[in-house]
Amino acid sequence: MTTPALLPLSGRRIPPLNLGPPSFPHHRATLRLSEKFILLLILSAFITLCFGAFFFLPDSSKHKRFDLGLEDVLIPHVDANRGAKNPGVFLIHGPDEHRHREEEERLRNKIRADHEKALEEAKEKLKKSREEIRAEIQTEKNKVVQEMKTKEKKPLPPVPIPNLTGINGGDPESSDIRKKREKIKEMMKHAWDNYRIYGWGHNELRPIARKGHSTNIFGSSQMGATIVDALDTLYIMGLLDEFRDGQKWIEDNLDFSVNSEVSVFEVNIRFIGGLLSAYYLSGEEIFKIKAVQLAEKLLPAFNTPTGIPWAMVNLKSGVGRNWGWASAGSSILAEFGTLHMEFVHLSYLTGDPVYYKKVMHIRKLLQKMDRPNGLYPNYLNPRTGRWGQYHTSVGGLGDSFYEYLLKAWLMSDKTDHEARKMYDDAIEAIEKHLIKKSRGGLTFIGEWKNGHLEKKMGHLACFAGGMFALGADGSRMDKAGHYLELGAEIAHTCHESYDRTALKLGPESFKFDGAVEAVAVRQAEKYYILRPEAIEKYCRVSGGFSGVKDVYSSTPTHDDVQQSFFLAETLKYLYLLFSGDDLLPLDHWVFNTEAHPLPVLHLSNTTLSGNPAVL
């Protein structure tokens, strides 16, 4: 049985900071609607006039050349072999030149007529009262809103669900293990029920204050992150009444047309991942529809000079930006590198290759770039395509990028050899430059900063023990045994970081300097926030579960936050630990970095008729 200790446990979160966009004085937006409307009409007329002028300019050559840069945009009656300098670029001559001039004249007349019509409409608008203009604007707004709603309700093309294995089952034979499994299920009920009572619809719960909680990664809206994150865990545990409550909230309340700036990465792994998983497990169409609606809202984040997405995007305006603290305005490796699994499934389910193309573009760009010592720096500028600070980490800022290289290969039924090569190259460089042994014999993964190794390992890097074990099968030069052993050594080091605290809970990061090994030194590194290993003794409170601020204190202070990933990851992994291998078997399912299971796309399932996205 594969235990959660051998699963690449999710880890990648960045401490939330209050770095919202600056607010602007209200008086800057007080231009009257009528004035705006008139200015818009005048501007429209001016643009129409300028555009029309382009067609009125005289021909600069006898032979008009069309080169749109697209091989598919062709004039079918032109011989491609006559006068063409490049494929897809044609010269118009002979009888065709006459027809071309007639077409140009027709276009000129049409533009002239449209221009005159726009001017007449503008004159008529100027004669109307402010109230009439307001009414017309409201009518147009209502029309646009209705069109958007109609578009959202448009059914997606039918795509057969892959043959899914292991959705139910997993009952252990041992009565002792069954009791432990039921205890974990009770913990899930405790977390969910209190959220249901005190934080319903909010992103997360403050279990001590007994009210809703949120951070800036979710923007300013109540998006029900805990509901979406918990759905598949509820389903797997057989808590179907709770699952249906969550489904109803999503149907009635989950709206992505909000003026809210969200983390592309966090929303992808929690929301899109959670919705896709809920769809595959339950077959309920609403989850697929909501996942696609949200994905469309994230696409503007990729509108950068390089195609590397912004860290944040406004769901309404589509405006993106990066975290203010990131090196030189850079995007973060673990964020833009942790989209592949979800986006491949989006293309698979919709037949729209745009999602697949976005993540493959990122991969191709990374392949072309020079990497210092073969290592991937954590920061990449989306404007220039250059690395930011030379800081490499398998913990926060870098971790799930490597996880997704391996899982892209696994999810493709081990046919994505490009992803596997990138993974193998990366871990060879990591082992050579970052993995060391302490004086006490503990194997740890340090961080590379500007040419120097920092002997510090983050809690988030503990997932690497599972990653090395998961990737052992298929490794180069028959090194499976080596990577299994390496994974076990890293897991042992992480266990020591737990065992050396008063609460037996691991700190956020720990050092290996001199006599100090696997111990946090700075106060800011001593907290535990319900990451995917938990001990009920110190984290359970009457209103749910809370993280603690200092794992070295025998009388801990709670941080009063029940993270959504506690229900998505921690409790799911614990439940699977005490379940049989027939529940979500790993040769049929791959967990995203938020522990949302997505099915392996076996070859027989990836060339569906009617689905143009052949992955």
Side-chain angles (χ1 to χ4, degrees):
M1 176 176 130
T2 303
T3 69
L6 296 182
L7 293 174
L9 301 183
S10 134
R12 63 277 165 245
R13 293 174 182 78
I14 299 153
L17 301 175
N18 253 331
L19 296 173
S23 58
F24 296 95
H26 181 263
H27 69 267
R28 296 185 185 180
T30 56
L31 191 64
R32 291 196 302 270
L33 283 174
S34 58
E35 294 172 335
K36 287 183 180 179
F37 197 78
I38 293 169
L39 288 174
L40 183 62
L41 287 170
I42 295 172
L43 179 61
S44 175
F46 178 74
I47 292 173
T48 305
L49 178 63
C50 292
F51 185 71
F54 171 80
F55 287 90
F56 300 147
L57 292 175
D59 259 345
S60 59
S61 64
K62 181 180 179 181
H63 295 235
K64 183 70 176 178
R65 183 184 181 205
F66 283 77
D67 185 358
L68 302 181
L70 298 171
E71 293 184 1
D72 294 333
V73 185
L74 308 175
I75 302 175
H77 59 268
V78 176
D79 184 356
N81 297 317
R82 294 169 57 193
K85 296 181 180 178
N86 298 296
V89 180
F90 301 139
L91 295 178
I92 311 299
H93 50 81
D96 294 324
E97 181 180 3
H98 176 71
R99 286 195 294 271
H100 169 67
R101 287 180 176 174
E102 288 181 345
E103 179 66 14
E104 272 197 349
E105 182 62 29
R106 188 186 68 79
L107 287 173
R108 288 194 189 97
N109 292 335
K110 183 178 185 305
I111 291 172
R112 186 183 295 110
D114 289 343
H115 171 61
E116 291 174 354
K117 181 180 177 182
L119 288 177
E120 288 299 319
E121 288 178 354
K123 291 178 183 178
E124 290 299 317
K125 296 295 182 187
L126 290 172
K127 296 177 183 178
K128 294 184 178 182
S129 67
R130 181 187 304 175
E131 288 71 21
E132 289 175 315
I133 293 176
R134 285 179 183 273
E136 287 189 5
I137 291 174
Q138 188 59 48
T139 299
E140 289 300 317
K141 285 175 65 178
N142 293 339
K143 183 179 177 182
V144 170
V145 169
Q146 190 59 40
E147 287 175 353
M148 290 177 66
K149 288 182 178 180
T150 302
K151 181 182 178 182
E152 288 181 355
K153 293 180 180 179
K154 182 180 179 181
L156 294 170
V159 177
I161 298 179
N163 295 324
L164 302 181
T165 302
I167 292 177
N168 307 111
D171 294 329
E173 295 180 2
S174 166
S175 60
D176 181 57
I177 294 178
R178 279 200 302 272
K179 288 178 183 178
K180 292 176 180 178
R181 190 181 191 230
E182 285 302 309
K183 174 59 181 177
I184 297 162
K185 188 172 178 179
E186 184 277 328
M187 291 170 67
M188 181 67 180
K189 278 277 293 176
H190 180 67
W192 175 266
D193 289 347
N194 279 283
Y195 169 77
R196 184 73 173 84
I197 295 169
Y198 303 116
W200 192 241
H202 288 268
N203 291 313
E204 293 174 323
L205 172 68
R206 294 185 63 187
I208 298 174
R210 299 191 178 188
K211 63 180 183 179
H213 169 78
S214 190
T215 66
N216 62 342
I217 60 174
F218 303 118
S220 57
S221 298
Q222 296 183 21
M223 297 174 64
T226 294
I227 297 173
V228 179
D229 237 358
L231 281 172
D232 53 9
T233 306
L234 293 169
Y235 193 92
I236 291 164
M237 291 184 177
L239 298 171
L240 299 185
D241 288 341
E242 291 80 357
F243 178 86
R244 282 187 283 268
D245 285 346
Q247 179 180 340
K248 187 174 189 319
W249 186 92
I250 287 172
E251 289 175 341
D252 297 342
N253 300 284
L254 189 55
D255 178 19
F256 303 120
S257 300
V258 291
N259 185 17
S260 187
E261 187 180 55
V262 301
S263 163
V264 174
F265 161 72
E266 294 285 358
V267 164
N268 174 64
I269 64 172
R270 300 193 198 205
F271 284 80
I272 293 181
L275 290 166
L276 290 176
S277 180
Y279 167 68
Y280 280 120
L281 291 171
S282 71
E284 294 291 343
E285 193 78 7
I286 183 63
F287 300 128
K288 180 173 73 171
I289 291 171
K290 289 292 184 181
V292 174
Q293 287 176 2
L294 176 56
E296 289 175 348
K297 295 288 187 179
L298 298 187
L299 287 178
F302 292 82
N303 295 337
T304 66
T306 61
I308 297 295
W310 299 112
M312 293 173 287
V313 69
N314 186 294
L315 293 177
K316 187 172 185 179
S317 69
V319 174
R321 70 181 178 97
N322 276 340
W323 302 106
W325 48 264
S327 170
S330 292
S331 298
I332 297 166
L333 182 68
E335 296 195 335
F336 65 77
T338 309
L339 303 167
H340 191 95
M341 290 178 64
E342 297 81 3
F343 275 46
V344 166
H345 271 278
L346 285 166
S347 281
Y348 171 76
L349 290 173
T350 64
D352 188 345
V354 64
Y355 306 105
Y356 177 73
K357 289 179 178 178
K358 294 295 185 187
V359 291
M360 288 305 295
H361 176 80
I362 293 173
R363 180 188 291 184
K364 297 299 184 185
L365 187 147
L366 291 175
Q367 286 179 317
K368 294 177 182 177
M369 297 187 67
D370 292 329
R371 300 189 301 276
N373 296 316
L375 298 169
Y376 287 92
N378 291 335
Y379 300 105
L380 179 61
N381 191 300
R383 296 184 186 278
T384 65
R386 297 179 179 177
W387 298 118
Q389 179 189 9
Y390 280 3
H391 173 207
T392 297
S393 168
V394 181
L397 306 179
D399 49 6
S400 49
F401 164 71
Y402 307 102
E403 176 188 351
Y404 268 42
L405 289 178
L406 175 61
K407 289 183 175 180
W409 176 68
L410 291 170
M411 198 178 74
S412 72
D413 201 17
K414 300 182 180 179
T415 61
D416 188 349
H417 302 297
E418 186 177 65
R420 179 74 210 208
K421 181 182 185 303
M422 291 177 70
Y423 169 77
D424 288 334
D425 290 345
I427 63 171
E428 285 180 4
I430 287 168
E431 186 172 8
K432 180 177 180 180
H433 297 286
L434 303 186
I435 297 180
K436 304 293 178 183
K437 272 193 182 290
S438 70
R439 292 180 182 178
L442 295 177
T443 301
F444 68 94
I445 309 175
E447 297 187 9
W448 192 266
K449 287 188 176 180
N450 297 318
H452 300 283
L453 182 69
E454 185 176 2
K455 297 179 180 179
K456 178 181 80 170
M457 183 171 174
H459 189 290
L460 294 174
C462 288
F463 92 101
M467 180 179 73
F468 287 132
L470 191 64
D473 181 29
S475 56
R476 289 174 178 167
M477 298 179 291
D478 195 27
K479 295 178 70 174
H482 167 73
Y483 283 116
L484 281 172
E485 183 179 352
L486 179 60
E489 290 177 1
I490 292 170
H492 172 68
T493 298
C494 293
H495 177 270
E496 286 298 305
S497 76
Y498 274 61
D499 198 46
R500 298 180 185 191
T501 70
L503 304 184
K504 306 304 178 184
L505 292 172
E508 186 66 7
S509 62
F510 38 94
K511 296 287 185 67
F512 296 86
D513 288 335
V516 176
E517 292 194 359
V519 174
V521 176
R522 297 171 57 222
Q523 186 62 39
E525 298 172 343
K526 295 181 179 181
Y527 62 90
Y528 169 77
I529 57 171
L530 300 176
R531 296 200 189 277
E533 303 85 10
I535 295 177
E536 187 183 35
K537 181 177 179 181
Y538 295 108
C539 296
R540 183 167 181 147
V541 296
S542 61
F545 290 86
S546 170
V548 295
K549 294 183 178 180
D550 186 349
V551 295
Y552 296 95
S553 171
S554 57
T555 56
T557 302
H558 292 99
D559 67 7
D560 195 17
V561 178
Q562 180 175 286
Q563 305 277 353
S564 77
F565 59 75
F566 176 70
L567 291 81
E569 301 180 77
T570 311
L571 294 177
K572 185 186 287 114
Y573 283 135
L574 284 171
Y575 188 76
L576 291 173
L577 178 63
F578 295 100
S579 299
D581 289 351
D582 59 330
L583 180 59
L584 299 178
L586 297 184
D587 53 344
H588 290 276
W589 296 88
V590 181
F591 291 84
N592 88 336
T593 200
E594 189 80 5
H596 295 306
L598 298 173
V600 170
L601 295 176
H602 296 285
L603 290 178
S604 59
N605 291 321
T606 56
T607 55
L608 302 172
S609 59
N611 185 351
V614 180
L615 308 177

